[in-house]
DNA sequence: TTGTACGCGTTATCAT
DNA sequence: ATGATAACGCGTACAA
């Protein structure tokens, strides 16, 4: 680990550190000659500007923080996260940002983490995901004027920068699909019940039932976490019912494969003949499970892309930020879990 | 975004900034009284130390860089990555570190990225993954005394801190399993051919063949990338052969599901009856595909954990670093892709 | 135990 | 177009 500084470069190039600094930041007001000379010396000395010093002086880190709520233990399991990360990464690449994954330090809750990385100025802005009801992170960020973009929705505020799908409509359509296949006893299995995305999907599900005059059965709405195990466990509950469902809407593919596993183990019911399955996020799991699962493609990679674009835009123009909400398309990918042989 | 500094805290608490600094870094030589007083003021003013200033002063960022080679486009697709991240994150949490995901900025190659985040001192150390032959990142890190740990192996140096499985032995055992099932025409499909993990697995595969006096057929070793599409494409090649394989070892689950997909589409061959499949990494894909896939569990989460532990240890004790190599267990998870009905 | 004063490496302001 | 100099906010010898 060497430590070539601007001073060294300046001295060898016979200029002042300000000049070197201007070369580094590609300032206009500098002659082509000195610029080349300085660049040459930088190359020769293998100079890299110290980013701490930079940040200290200009208040910018060129780092974006990606915050995932830890209440979802799946963060590092669910392919959704990875796809978002992929999208974010592709944009930060083009804009010379890096990504910070904040981790809950000893004794920290989610809000603490957010506060810390923002207030210690480790990052220039945040991408928040999977909002909850009365989400503290959103509230804090908004009240403290922290640049952020939400992937998802927020019920409390209307003027926050966000990117989302119309999950309610998607759930409505997905449920309607099952109804149109003749199913009436449709259950809804979800993860964290206070997550906005869950609520929206649940609402869409309910709307579909009501619109088709199907009575809502309370036993058919159960939730746990966004985990495979949760799906397995919750399906066990459903199988205990006297009046078992003939179709299930899952809030997530990961949950859905758990559900599927449980159904298979029962050896009594077949998918899709006895129980149809429909799910969300269209991850690789839905594509390769047996049977393949009908799932809503929410465009996760695009969610990450759009969110980081919006954030970086807001960071650049220091004027007023773009607090608009963007709604991305979704698409129901029909697969075997809702396809009967005679169709 | 406020900007409470030590000065503010010092003033209000009626002490000097050095005293505040000592409280922040939990210095011993300070009276309980003033400590409490300062802490109180910090709380009241909502003070957070500026991390740029800290880094500048003490040369530490408390950030670990996670470097994934971009030659594998799968980085953000392959569950392996996410599992490693999960392991890393669980350790950084306990040690008050955060994680930086470096992204290739415009015009940067992989080595450039590594150089940049290290030389600009954005991170204290690196976790490298998926090493290649004559890996430039490893060479650079070693030559410049950059604290790093490799997840994987390195052929050129013997004294670098690393965590890995015995992939050669695993491949040997996996291939032997197929041979013991009576298969003789065993192909090996891999990703990036210069990645060390590919080479090791290939070697183990070869060893198994040789030990069982099976002639090596050059047509049976093909490679592309660590992608589903690659598996699909490569399987198409194999199906064109006159002498088709009756078993395939895949270097990765993602590749394997692509292979499986292609086999199914052929409508001529069944897994495992006509073609057995065995793979690596035991991701959720292997567990839920149809048929389920026999795969080597390499303990990805543990790889991430051990690597970050080792790195953080080396960062803490500034003495001589632990350059040992740790070999983790692996386990072949047998599933339907190698299980005949009559067994 | 506490305070003073300087250094960390860069950017920004103000001259020239 | 270039240079001198003062921040930026914190850590740390050194002094008290």
């Amino acid at each position: 680990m060497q430590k070539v500084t601007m001073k060294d470069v300046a001295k060898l190039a016979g200029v002042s550190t300000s000049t070197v600094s201007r070369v580094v930041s590609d300032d206009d007001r500098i002659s082509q000659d000195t610029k080349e000379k300085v660049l040459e010396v930088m190359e020769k000395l293998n100079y890299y500007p110290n980013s701490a010093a930079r940040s200290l002086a200009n208040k910018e880190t060129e780092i974006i923080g990606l915050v995932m709520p830890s209440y979802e233990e799946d963060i590092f399991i669910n392919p959704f996260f990875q796809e978002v990360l992929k999208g974010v990464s592709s944009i930060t690449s083009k804009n010379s940002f890096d990504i910070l994954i904040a981790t809950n330090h000893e004794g920290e809750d989610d809000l603490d983490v957010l506060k810390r990385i923002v207030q210690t100025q480790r990052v220039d802005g945040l991408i928040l995901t999977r909002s909850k009801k009365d989400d503290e992170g959103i509230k804090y960020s908004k009240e403290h004027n922290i640049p952020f973009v939400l992937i998802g929705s927020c019920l409390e505020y209307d003027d926050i920068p966000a990117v989302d799908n119309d999950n309610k409509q998607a759930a409505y359509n997905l449920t309607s699909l099952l109804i149109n296949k003749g199913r009436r006893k449709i259950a809804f299995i979800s993860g964290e019940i206070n997550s906005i995305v869950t609520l929206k999907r649940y609402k869409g599900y309910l709307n579909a039932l009501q619109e088709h005059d199907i009575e809502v059965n309370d036993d058919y709405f159960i939730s746990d976490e966004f985990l495979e195990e949760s799906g397995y466990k919750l399906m066990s509950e459903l199988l205990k019912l006297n009046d078992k469902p003939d179709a299930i809407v899952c809030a997530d593919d990961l949950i859905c494969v758990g559900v599927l596993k449980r159904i298979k183990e029962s050896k009594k019911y077949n998918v899709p003949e006895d129980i149809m399955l429909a799910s969300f996020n269209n991850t690789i799991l839905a594509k390769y499970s047996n049977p393949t699962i009908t799932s809503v493609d929410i465009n996760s990679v695009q969610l990450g892309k759009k969110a980081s674009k919006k954030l970086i835009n807001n960071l650049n123009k220091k004027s007023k930020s773009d607090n608009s909400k963007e709604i991305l398309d979704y698409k129901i990918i029909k697969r075997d879990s809702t396809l009967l042989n005679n169709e």
Side-chain angles (χ1 to χ4, degrees), chain A:
Chain A
M1 292 279 257
Q2 49 192 342
K3 36 183 176 178
V4 181
T5 73
M6 275 196 169
K7 259 187 202 161
D8 304 320
V9 177
K11 197 190 293 175
L12 192 58
V15 298
S16 72
T17 56
S18 346
T19 302
V20 178
S21 175
R22 289 190 184 104
V23 173
V24 168
S25 48
D26 211 27
D27 198 309
D28 281 339
R29 24 176 213 173
I30 201 167
S31 77
Q32 193 60 27
D33 268 11
T34 47
K35 186 173 176 176
E36 278 169 17
K37 188 173 58 186
V38 171
L39 281 174
E40 203 172 299
V41 174
M42 290 190 346
E43 178 88 7
K44 186 175 170 188
L45 294 184
N46 192 31
Y47 167 75
Y48 285 87
N50 178 304
S51 68
R54 276 196 114 179
S55 302
L56 185 57
N58 74 5
K59 308 271 173 218
E60 283 173 10
T61 61
E62 296 192 291
I63 298 179
I64 282 181
L66 190 52
V67 179
M68 311 289 292
S70 65
Y71 74 81
E72 292 187 41
E73 295 190 1
D74 76 312
I75 297 174
F76 294 119
I77 300 174
N78 202 317
F80 167 76
F81 166 77
Q82 208 169 351
E83 294 188 18
V84 168
L85 184 56
K86 181 180 177 179
V88 172
S89 152
S90 77
I91 299 303
T92 52
S93 279
K94 291 181 189 140
N95 294 275
S96 296
F97 276 79
D98 289 314
I99 304 167
L100 186 86
I101 309 278
T103 56
N104 293 59
H105 294 177
E106 207 76 46
E108 286 186 334
D109 64 26
D110 289 352
L111 184 58
D112 292 335
V113 179
L114 191 154
K115 283 182 184 173
R116 177 170 56 78
I117 67 169
V118 163
Q119 300 290 16
T120 62
Q121 296 165 60
R122 289 210 141 176
V123 300
D124 292 338
L126 296 175
I127 292 182
L128 306 179
T129 64
R130 298 277 173 104
S131 50
K132 291 191 283 190
K133 254 166 100 171
D134 299 311
D135 196 289
E136 290 182 301
I138 295 175
K139 189 176 171 206
Y140 185 87
S141 304
K142 185 167 171 55
E143 288 177 355
H144 291 75
N145 278 320
I146 294 159
F148 77 99
V149 172
L150 171 65
I151 295 183
S153 289
C154 172
L155 307 177
E156 294 80 19
Y157 304 100
D158 211 37
D159 57 336
I160 61 170
V163 185
D164 201 3
N165 313 93
D166 188 343
N167 278 297
K168 192 168 139 191
Q169 184 66 39
Y172 175 89
N173 289 345
L174 194 63
T175 309
S176 298
L177 182 151
L178 295 170
I179 295 173
N180 290 336
K181 300 263 183 180
R183 305 293 156 132
R184 289 292 176 276
K185 301 190 284 182
I186 305 174
F188 183 85
I189 296 189
S190 81
E192 170 66 34
I193 194 167
N194 281 320
S195 86
I196 303 297
V197 67
T198 296
L199 291 175
K200 294 216 160 190
R201 288 175 182 169
Y202 180 57
K203 201 151 188 183
Y205 153 84
L206 282 184
N207 282 356
L209 294 188
Q210 284 158 358
E211 192 144 311
H212 292 82
D213 293 321
I214 298 175
E215 201 178 341
V216 177
N217 181 339
D218 284 343
D219 291 337
Y220 287 172
F221 172 44
I222 49 181
S223 72
D224 194 54
E225 295 180 69
F226 280 106
L227 289 175
E228 178 196 349
E229 294 77 31
S230 299
Y232 185 89
K233 197 171 72 182
L234 295 175
M235 189 64 220
S236 298
E237 299 301 315
L238 290 180
L239 287 178
K240 286 181 195 152
L241 296 176
N242 288 324
D243 198 18
K244 297 179 184 55
D246 56 16
I248 298 169
V249 175
C250 296
D252 186 280
D253 285 345
L254 205 55
I255 294 177
C256 199
V257 292
V259 167
L260 181 54
K261 183 179 177 191
R262 185 63 189 82
I263 296 177
K264 282 187 184 174
E265 282 184 13
S266 79
K267 309 258 184 198
K268 283 207 228 158
Y269 306 98
N270 288 320
V271 177
E273 293 80 2
D274 305 312
I275 305 176
M276 281 191 178
L277 293 183
S279 179
F280 277 89
N281 296 1
N282 190 38
T283 60
I284 196 164
L285 292 172
K287 196 168 162 189
Y288 282 111
S289 67
N290 174 34
T292 56
I293 298 170
T294 293
S295 189
V296 180
D297 186 348
I298 58 167
N299 242 320
S300 315
V301 176
Q302 272 299 323
L303 286 172
K305 281 193 186 181
K306 295 276 188 188
S308 39
K309 264 187 197 164
K310 193 180 277 267
L311 178 58
I312 290 174
N313 278 341
N314 283 346
L315 290 175
N316 289 339
K317 59 167 164 67
K318 285 291 179 191
S319 55
K320 59 170 171 277
S321 69
D322 165 20
N323 284 339
S324 69
K325 178 163 183 172
E326 233 167 311
I327 302 296
L328 302 192
D329 281 346
Y330 63 87
K331 193 177 169 189
I332 297 180
I333 310 295
K334 295 177 189 168
R335 297 206 181 84
D336 295 345
S337 68
T338 57
L339 187 70
L340 292 179
N341 284 332
N342 53 12
E343 288 182 287

